[in-house]
Amino acid sequence: MAQEQNNFRDSIGTINEEGKRAWVFPKKPNGRFYKYRKYVSYVLLTFFLLAPFIKINGNQFLMFNILERRFNIFGFPFWPQDFYLFVISMIIGVVFIALFTVAFGRIFCGWICPQTIFMEMVFRRIEYWIDGDRGAQIRLDRQEWNAEKIRKRVLKWIIFFIISFIIANVFLAYLIGSDRLIQYIADGPLEHLSTMLSLLIFTGVFYFIFAWFREQVCIIACPYGRMQGALLDNKSIVVAYDHKRGEAEKGRKKFRKGEDRAAMGHGDCIDCFQCVNVCPTGIDIRNGTQLECINCTACIDACDEIMEKVNLPKGLIRYASEDNIEKKAKFKFTPRLKGYTAVLVILTGLLIGMLFLRNDLEANILRLPGQLYEHKEGNIISNVYTFKVVNKTTRDIPNVTFKLLSHKGTISLVRNDNFTVPAQELTEGTLFIEINNAALDGDKNTVKIGVFSGEEQIETTSARFMAPRSYR
């Protein structure tokens, strides 16, 4: 019997017995949680659309330029030399999501994930406007291709494509920078055909996801649904069906006016299937926690509406833990949650400390590969180096020079004695370091070099200096 009750776990709700796509036609949600989700979605949609165009101290608020390995997170620029900081930031994000999953289940998916927000609050609402609610959509799907169906389908597909194109442009602004995107738009598509091709590919991907693949992203493609299975426990607060109250001794029963359900031994669930009809991933929440559930709360609103109509208490489906349903246990800050919180606090503190200690300018000086030292007159040993100086700020750094700090000697640049490092740019070149052998200790030495802007020292670096073995 238990095996039969769990047969639903052997397959997913969007695939039928023949292995083909079972299209989901969710009923339009309505209720207090849906209203709250709309408010959250409006804020996040505004943030998503504006974030690449907002600047803090001249830095784009969010940018993920993978090709050039330049990232901006909340206005902080991360260069290839800062990759370790970027990695720590990503780990903090993962730990933060894991913490909330342990505590509140897949709440990120239902309330914050861009896939859910765009699907449910943009594309799905347009579909309700054009095709109608669940019943009308099912009838339209079964309807022959007449003038009405063609008109609605073409209108919907065109609007979906336009929105996908807008999303692709914003997405590209995150990747290459908003200034560059605006410049490309001003220049025209013919001047940047490769970028235009990339834009059309992104548009096609987004159109495919939101027009056809839809909830399959959450069920099949996204690993988070699987990850939550390892993170959730009986104390995690999720969207849950109160089976103790809903089933009672004799299970569910259709509602009849005036009956005493408690005396008959039936639970409060009247088997109306509204929680199933409204689910955007096509599951029955009454079967328990499932990987397809994204905690969107649509079933809570639908169930509360029915309970109100039949004069039964709301909350048959609600945010609750398994322990709360079984044992009436309240939420506690468990040792597991404390452990995740401690890790999150430590990593966040480490990142903040590293950000404050990070220099605005970073210099790397390396000996030229394949080049040995040169022995000059006056017992002078010369080594040749290449240097790279990265300016992480939004202002030019002028009159940059190098000076030896650890030894007496000279540093001479191949081109100019000083140079300017443009804002958010990298300057590279070649230099010579010359030191008297009397000041050297053996054939391998470490020299300390100061980087100055005028008279102000702004960075310190070091390099290996080679000398003849016989001069120890």
Side-chain angles (χ1 to χ4, degrees), residues 26-306:
K27 180 182 177 182
K28 185 177 181 180
N30 182 47
R32 63 189 180 99
F33 279 110
Y34 185 64
K35 180 177 69 174
Y36 298 150
R37 284 178 60 213
K38 284 195 293 185
Y39 295 153
V40 172
S41 298
Y42 296 152
V43 172
L44 292 178
L45 283 170
T46 302
F47 175 81
F48 172 80
L49 295 173
L50 296 182
F53 303 97
I54 297 173
K55 292 188 177 181
I56 297 178
N57 295 326
N59 295 314
Q60 187 169 311
F61 189 68
L62 286 176
M63 184 176 71
F64 305 93
N65 192 332
I66 299 172
L67 297 177
E68 297 179 7
R69 294 180 296 169
R70 291 178 58 184
F71 306 91
N72 288 352
I73 299 179
F74 305 136
F76 287 100
F78 294 87
W79 289 71
Q81 295 83 356
D82 300 320
F83 189 71
Y84 64 98
L85 294 174
F86 179 74
V87 171
I88 293 175
S89 300
M90 294 298 101
I91 294 175
I92 289 173
V94 172
V95 174
F96 182 79
I97 292 175
L99 172 63
F100 264 76
T101 302
V102 172
F104 304 110
R106 208 170 172 180
I107 192 171
F108 172 84
C109 298
W111 290 76
I112 302 175
C113 178
Q115 158 69 18
T116 302
I117 290 174
F118 276 107
M119 184 69 250
E120 301 302 323
M121 296 300 174
V122 178
F123 289 89
R124 193 87 77 183
R125 293 179 70 180
I126 291 172
E127 197 163 57
Y128 290 135
W129 169 58
I130 295 174
D131 293 348
D133 209 338
R134 170 182 165 81
Q137 290 183 23
I138 294 174
R139 289 192 296 272
L140 185 67
D141 182 65
R142 295 172 179 173
Q143 187 174 311
E144 294 184 358
W145 283 91
N146 54 22
E148 178 193 13
K149 185 170 182 176
I150 293 173
R151 175 178 58 81
K152 289 185 175 181
R153 285 288 188 263
V154 171
L155 175 62
K156 183 173 70 173
W157 291 340
I158 290 174
I159 294 176
F160 279 10
F161 183 85
I162 292 172
I163 296 176
S164 298
F165 184 73
I166 294 172
I167 297 173
N169 274 272
V170 177
F171 183 72
L172 198 61
Y174 281 99
L175 294 181
I176 67 174
S178 56
D179 291 342
R180 187 180 299 181
L181 176 66
I182 293 172
Q183 182 61 49
Y184 285 177
I185 294 174
D187 293 341
L190 296 179
E191 296 293 325
H192 306 280
L193 289 177
S194 60
T195 303
M196 188 63 189
L197 178 61
S198 301
L199 189 62
L200 291 176
I201 291 174
F202 285 141
T203 302
V205 169
F206 288 126
Y207 180 83
F208 169 75
I209 289 174
F210 295 117
W212 191 84
F213 205 49
R214 300 190 160 203
E215 70 283 342
Q216 303 284 73
V217 173
C218 307
I219 300 172
I220 299 174
C222 180
Y224 188 49
R226 273 76 178 171
M227 186 177 76
Q228 75 164 347
L231 293 173
L232 294 181
D233 57 28
N234 291 340
K235 298 176 180 60
S236 301
I237 296 176
V238 296
V239 172
Y241 165 67
D242 189 342
H243 58 90
K244 302 280 283 186
R245 174 189 151 193
E247 306 295 319
E249 294 180 5
K250 295 185 179 180
R252 312 161 191 163
K253 180 183 180 299
K254 293 291 184 181
F255 178 76
R256 287 186 179 179
K257 191 174 181 180
E259 65 183 356
D260 190 344
R261 298 178 67 87
M264 297 169 64
H266 291 288
D268 285 354
C269 178
I270 66 171
D271 213 18
C272 63
F273 278 89
Q274 291 305 302
C275 60
V276 180
N277 294 338
V278 81
C279 179
T281 58
I283 65 169
D284 189 340
I285 192 63
R286 297 173 297 178
N287 288 330
T289 302
Q290 299 154 69
L291 69 86
E292 297 98 325
C293 179
I294 58 172
N295 283 20
C296 69
T297 69
C299 55
I300 296 179
D301 285 331
C303 186
D304 282 350
E305 184 179 357
I306 295 298

Side-chain angles (χ1 to χ4, degrees), residues 40 53 59 129 155 194 320 328 353 359 373 383 398 413 428 470:
V40 172
F53 303 97
N59 295 314
W129 169 58
L155 175 62
S194 60
K328 304 300 180 183
N359 291 330
Y373 59 85
N383 282 208
L413 277 64
E428 51 189 341
S470 57

